[in-house]
Amino acid sequence: MESTGGSGPTGAQASKNEKEELKSRSRRRWRKAKAKASRFMHTMDLHTMTQSLVTLAEDNMAFFSSQGPGETARRLTSVFAGVREQALGLEPALVRLLGVAHLFDLDSETPANGYRSLVHTARCCLAHLLHKSRYVASNRRSIFFRASHNLAELEAYLVALTQLRALAYYAQHLLATNQPGGLFFEGDERLTAEFLQEYVTLHKGCFYGRCLGFQFTPAIRPFLQTISIGLVSFGEHYKRNETGLSVTASSLFTSGRFAIDPELRGAEFERIIQNLDVHFWKAFWNITEIEVLSSLANMASVTVRISRLLSLPPEAFEMPLTSDPKLTVTISPPLAHTGPGPVLIRLISYELREGQDSEAISNLVKSEGPWSLELRPRHQQAPRSQSLVVHIHGGGFVAQTSKSHEPYLKSWAQELGVPIISIDYSLAPEAPFPRALEECFFAYCWAVKHCALLGSTGERICLAGDSAGGNLCFTVSLRAAAYGVRVPDGIMAAYPATMLQSAASPSRLLSLMDPLLPLSVLSKCVSAYAGAETEDHSGSDEKALGMMGIVRRDTSLLLRDIRLGASSWLNSFLELSGHKSQKKPVPVAEPIRRSVSEAALAQQESPLDTDSLKGLKNLSLKGYSESSDTSKLSEMSQSLEALAPSKPSEVNLFLRPEDALEEAEANEALSTKDRGPGSPATFPEGFHPRRSSQGPIHMPLYSAPIVKNPFMSPLLAPDHMLKTLPPVHIVACALDPMLDDSVMFARRLRALGQPVTLRVVEDLPHGFLSLASLCRETRQAAQLCVERIRLILTPPAAPAHP
């Protein structure tokens, strides 16, 4: 018999637990049923969905055509006829893309790439039209049926479906033109320019009105609507205000006409993204750092004991080499473009740890208004953590600081229990490449050397960043390996940008409808980072900005003057390591390598070596032969021969060997009309997508050789450079225009045998870390990033002894 002692639950407690369990099960069943209902149309077979939509469209056409000559009935008949036509035309293109999409996945467990995302987005649009068509069929006879409202929504989604059909044909063209397994367009640069200039003429306003964010999870859509209203309101203030700096937070969301008129909002949104320059986007993205908004964000975030802005003095210091700690290398302060200057970092720690309140740290503190070291009663200091997280924020290289990202960094500090530093690097276009890289590398090395002051022993170090910050994480690690100093123990990159040159890809086509990352905005940001924001384009809205336009003109002239210096810097960097390492022993006290900035300053009067830049220009995605001296860290990533194209390897690194034949057959199966080299894309006869009403748009294609520098576009780095990277963990978004950057970078590392993981979250936009507290989906995605960082900070298990 079983004991009935007091250690077990009483009968009443057991009954209560059973009731709670039943309630919990009931809630779970209800949630599952609701989720199943909402996903039903999305899980339908594509052909079944299309046929159901066509059947409903024909039924509604027959009904409204019999309702007399009224204008509303005529338009409803016309819109359902258009839905039927576009759905029937879109289905074959989507089936074609799905047939080969699996060839571009990282592996069978990670079914994600731009082709899949395009198909998923089109299915979302079809599902919405199917739902609306069913609603109309069920309620069209009711006296409460709002014909005008439903007509407006149907017309908006019909235009969106038409544009998505155009994107599907563009994707087919990329599939036919690209190299086997490659997601990025690798054709002639002239064809790339033609393709992109053709693509940006497509109408976009439909995706920013009633259809705004239809592809994302429903919890995100109200936020996107608020942002879009704020954007167009800010655009109006920006036009009227010479500097755009006196716009208050409250005035951004008070333009009611944009809230009640989605079509007007969509048209204004399209005008803004096509005509306003990078300075507008810099100002808008920095709204989160307005004092009122940042205070509200901090009130809602985790309370930490330490949040201090530190100013690192621009003083050179020595770092030991990993190959021989007795030897050192000089880490020079950032010098590019503006000369030596301090680097700002933010120290965040949930607990007060040893060293964090030292006099040395206090001397580095930079005042940023009233602040307090302690936000809770003081207790004894916690010991130093074994780990340290070095964070680099995103913002398109042109906007935001660690302040914008502080809310989720505080949560990280609490969940991980480690100190975090976030680097406030200088922003473009005032400080183009390589200034941000120099500052991030300097701050990283300083943190490694002085980790004891930051409350860490530095046994495990993780580099983490999002978007542009993810790009800088990769390039900082590559530069650390080039210098021979300690590389981080791992990198966590959220939706990183790894390809900054003008290359079309299926996921980049999503920028037509993305309210956060339109292609023209991406182009302007990268152009600014590359130092190419120099032209003055008459007819744009810049002319109406008065003094701000003058400031930008003067900045452009300055950037034009230093562009040759940037190219000289690049050339010097390539030549710096072209010299073989001396076999003589190097004195311990003597630095064995100069910084790249020092090399550039030493050779400013040297003519630009066009051959070396030509070598960069010819970098392709086809692979490289490895140098026989890859074991020497001093030559690993600073060899001119390595950056110039070597003899291509026989195996395409972007395609798994078992997929090569299948991919080749898929390419051969494409019709010859899709391969026309002279046309950007081939549409079927009679199909005409809508074009933008904004007229010709200037979109810089950032085709200068500098954007192909591996320290700017790490996806283009040679094999032996990528082999120096530590384990990489990437968290990407399925509906992000930057998705293909993550997929191709992960495939590249996987082909080299490098440890890499790729997790792709569904139905969330680029930048979800800044929206971590918005809904359950963003919290789960942010938690996934924390788990990846925790993997890096966990010491590897010791091998078992026999």
Side-chain angles (χ1 to χ4, degrees), residues 691-712:
R691 298 293 175 179
S692 174
S693 61
Q694 296 298 320
I697 174 179
H698 170 73
M699 189 186 73
L701 294 178
Y702 42 92
S703 58
I706 198 170
V707 300
K708 300 179 183 180
N709 180 356
F711 288 90
M712 191 172 185

Side-chain angles (χ1 to χ4, degrees), residues 631-661:
S631 61
K632 299 180 180 179
L633 288 176
S634 62
E635 298 172 351
M636 240 176 220
S637 58
Q638 296 192 26
S639 164
L640 177 60
E641 293 79 10
L643 291 177
S646 304
K647 179 181 178 181
S649 59
E650 297 297 328
V651 180
N652 190 300
L653 297 181
F654 288 166
L655 190 64
R656 299 189 300 275
E658 60 269 23
D659 293 336
L661 180 59

Side-chain angles (χ1 to χ4, degrees), residues 86-142:
Q86 298 305 328
L88 290 174
L90 180 60
E91 181 190 0
L94 298 183
V95 170
R96 203 172 195 180
L97 295 179
L98 277 178
V100 295
H102 66 282
L103 299 173
F104 301 88
D105 297 331
L106 175 64
D107 51 46
S108 59
E109 298 179 357
T110 316
N113 58 68
Y115 294 115
R116 291 186 183 274
S117 299
L118 278 172
V119 174
H120 174 79
T121 303
R123 285 174 60 90
C124 288
C125 190
L126 288 170
H128 188 91
L129 282 168
L130 180 56
H131 171 77
K132 181 57 64 174
S133 298
R134 283 177 174 167
Y135 175 83
V136 171
S138 300
N139 297 274
R140 62 198 180 194
R141 297 181 184 275
S142 171

Side-chain angles (χ1 to χ4, degrees), residues 386-399:
Q386 294 181 342
S387 305
L388 177 68
V389 173
V390 179
H391 171 263
I392 307 177
H393 68 81
F397 302 102
V398 302

Side-chain angles (χ1 to χ4, degrees), residues 347-360:
L347 172 62
I348 299 174
S349 181
Y350 183 69
E351 297 180 284
L352 176 62
R353 297 185 178 274
E354 293 181 14
Q356 291 178 341
D357 61 349
S358 63
E359 183 179 354

Side-chain angles (χ1 to χ4, degrees), residues 313-318 330-333 442 598:
E315 300 171 355
F317 56 89
E318 301 296 314
T330 300
I331 306 299
S332 299
F442 180 82
E598 288 174 332

Side-chain angles (χ1 to χ4, degrees), residues 185-199:
F185 184 82
E186 300 177 49
D188 180 79
E189 287 189 359
R190 178 182 59 82
L191 295 181
T192 301
E194 291 178 1
F195 182 93
L196 293 177
Q197 292 292 359
E198 158 77 10
Y199 165 74

